[in-house]
Amino acid sequence: MLFNVETATRIRNTEITLSLRKWRRPQARDGGVYFLRPNGTIELTAMTECKLHDVSTDDLRDAGFVARSAAVSVLGIDASDPIWVVRFIHHPNCTNDGNLQHKKCH
């Protein structure tokens, strides 16, 4: 999974603990470990497909949005469109060695 610099920083600061994605089909794997540039990894713990209007306000906040309208604007979708709620754990001292099943933590 890729994140822009601002989002990656907010993940490292624990301001963001899940991601909303507008995938047609999953582009990541539940349980997968992904490098978070420039250091650390995220480990996907759950992925759920739903409609944006069904996402709780707590989940919107955990994704970094202050309001549903902000998510609609950033994702470029309608609130009734399907999205994926991707939950993850940030591992700040882990690196991904290229094998998604193997992570090295110091």
Side-chain angles (χ1 to χ4, degrees):
M1 289 183 54
L2 296 176
F3 297 97
N4 65 34
V5 173
E6 177 187 347
T7 301
T9 300
R10 293 182 70 196
I11 290 169
R12 279 190 206 84
N13 293 336
T14 67
E15 297 170 41
I16 293 177
T17 57
L18 67 86
S19 182
L20 303 179
R21 299 290 173 138
K22 61 175 185 177
W23 295 328
R24 290 187 180 165
R25 59 181 176 79
Q27 301 295 310
R29 191 172 42 82
D30 195 5
V33 178
Y34 299 88
F35 185 56
L36 185 65
R37 296 176 287 156
N39 54 23
T41 59
I42 59 167
E43 178 180 3
L44 272 57
T45 58
M47 295 190 327
T48 308
E49 187 176 21
C50 64
K51 305 279 187 190
L52 182 57
H53 61 69
D54 293 329
V55 175
S56 72
T57 54
D58 285 344
D59 282 350
L60 286 169
R61 185 179 48 251
D62 290 346
F65 297 106
V66 295
R68 193 171 316 275
S69 59
V72 167
S73 176
V74 168
L75 294 171
I77 61 172
D78 186 74
S80 63
D81 289 340
I83 61 159
W84 287 86
V85 177
V86 181
R87 298 181 188 285
F88 55 82
I89 299 170
H90 174 235
H91 299 286
N93 297 319
C94 294
T95 58
N96 185 336
D97 67 358
N99 178 350
L100 295 180
Q101 293 299 317
H102 185 250
K103 58 184 181 218
K104 297 178 182 175
C105 301
H106 342 256

